[in-house]
Amino acid sequence: MKASAFSYARATSVANALELLEAHGDGAKVLSGGQSLLPAMNLRLISPELIVDIGELTELRGIAVRESVLAVGALARHVDLEKSPEIATHAPLLKEAIGHVAHPAIRNRGTLGGSLAQADPASELPACMVALNATIIVRCRSGERRIAAEDFFRGIYETALSAQELLVRVELPVARRNSMHFFCEFARRHGDYAIIGLAAQAIVEGEVFTDLRLAFFGVGDRPVLAEAANRLVGTALTPAALSEAGTDLARELDPYEDQQASAAMRRHLAKLLMVRCVSTLLGRLGLNAGGPA
């Protein structure tokens, strides 16, 4: 199957892209890396009237540290994130997660902004943005909006972006002292969409979490920042405490069911991921929640 007929415009600047989006509204779609948009068009899942190609806008590229903020342009490719020394130093969770995104051919073309705007609930990068407490900056002709990652993702392929707005960059707090991260996903084959995954960012003092953000993906219509993590912060962890947190997590999650896994299986895997995360970050691999980790 091939895409339905559409018009094409290559934006010459961000301002030009915004003019085109404002003029065509819901009839326009933005093309950055094309790794999500073009397959959806070929399957006739979407049929835009106009494609606005922003791929040549150098002002949307770049990765830089500004004071205590790591700024990443929307057109930073996956491979740029994977190779960036700034990402490795200040957001190592993101570097680790990129290795799980599809395959090298996809990572060489796919962009951070495109992945976030696509908002696939089984995608790694939206969950990383939530775990890292990122701020997503979008722009329209009248100015910019700053949106917390937790509020940006609204549902399956749905975000807080309006049809007249363009995602221009992401800002991440630089890693703090005693910062640690964890990333793991279950997939049938490496590069496949995850059945379920966890991106986590933590601050550890001794053997106590002073901050813990657990962002699950593949368990709902958007990344889920688990409230159950609050039970694990500021207290000495025991198998009983971890078991109680696992029970809270299972109640909190509302996973979907598909050909890959039942809702019950996804709840079980989520608990296993939480145990693995806590055990790894605290260096206590014997810690468990009454079952194998």
Side-chain angles (χ1 to χ4, degrees):
M1 189 178 292
K2 296 297 182 183
S4 57
F6 60 90
S7 298
Y8 171 89
R10 175 173 289 181
T12 57
S13 66
V14 170
N16 178 227
L18 293 174
E19 289 173 2
L20 292 167
L21 292 177
E22 185 171 79
H24 294 272
D26 291 333
K29 290 293 181 183
V30 173
L31 172 66
S32 53
Q35 302 306 295
S36 299
L37 177 66
L38 297 182
M41 291 174 60
N42 286 337
L43 291 171
R44 301 288 179 101
L45 298 176
I46 55 173
S47 298
E49 300 168 4
L50 174 69
I51 294 297
V52 179
D53 186 348
I54 64 170
E56 298 301 316
L57 301 185
T58 56
E59 59 196 293
L60 297 183
R61 299 190 185 279
I63 301 169
V65 180
R66 302 165 185 165
E67 296 181 353
S68 60
V69 172
L70 176 62
V72 185
L75 288 185
R77 299 172 301 156
H78 299 329
V79 68
D80 298 329
L81 302 175
E82 192 171 25
K83 295 180 177 180
S84 165
E86 292 85 4
I87 295 292
T89 300
H90 301 290
L93 168 63
L94 198 51
K95 176 180 174 64
E96 183 172 347
I98 287 294
H100 295 264
V101 175
H103 305 284
I106 301 296
R107 297 197 291 272
N108 285 336
R109 290 290 302 170
T111 64
L112 173 63
S115 178
L116 302 185
Q118 176 72 2
D120 189 316
S123 180
E124 294 87 354
L125 297 189
C128 287
M129 294 301 109
V130 172
L132 291 168
N133 200 21
T135 300
I136 297 172
I137 292 84
V138 304
R139 188 182 301 171
C140 65
R141 294 189 69 189
S142 61
E144 287 187 351
R145 283 199 299 147
R146 300 173 61 84
I147 308 170
E150 293 174 56
D151 301 323
F152 182 77
F153 304 103
R154 298 282 180 85
I156 299 177
Y157 307 127
E158 182 183 355
T159 71
L161 271 174
S162 75
Q164 292 77 37
E165 290 179 316
L166 185 65
L167 197 161
V168 294
R169 70 182 182 279
V170 170
E171 293 182 355
L172 305 164
V174 299
R176 293 186 286 164
R177 180 176 172 271
N178 295 328
S179 177
M180 303 181 73
H181 73 278
F182 174 88
F183 185 90
C184 185
E185 66 178 38
F186 293 121
R188 296 196 180 277
R189 296 174 302 178
H190 183 80
D192 283 2
Y193 279 110
I195 298 171
I196 183 175
L198 171 61
Q201 188 73 12
I203 303 294
V204 180
E205 299 283 352
E207 290 197 359
V208 174
F209 291 113
T210 58
D211 188 36
L212 179 62
R213 295 176 66 87
L214 304 179
F216 288 91
F217 56 100
V219 292
D221 63 358
R222 70 197 80 181
V224 176
L225 185 64
E227 295 181 4
N230 296 332
R231 185 184 282 273
L232 305 176
V233 174
T235 184
L237 288 186
T238 63
L242 192 54
S243 178
E244 290 173 1
T247 299
D248 289 349
L249 179 67
R251 292 196 189 106
E252 179 182 350
L253 297 179
D254 185 20
Y256 52 85
E257 184 166 334
D258 59 16
Q259 69 274 17
Q260 295 202 86
S262 66
M265 179 178 175
R266 282 191 164 92
R267 283 193 178 93
H268 173 68
L269 293 178
K271 291 168 68 175
L272 289 184
L273 283 173
M274 184 176 70
V275 171
R276 284 188 182 182
C277 173
V278 171
S279 300
T280 300
L281 295 183
L282 294 182
R284 295 164 61 187
L285 299 181
L287 192 65
N288 64 67

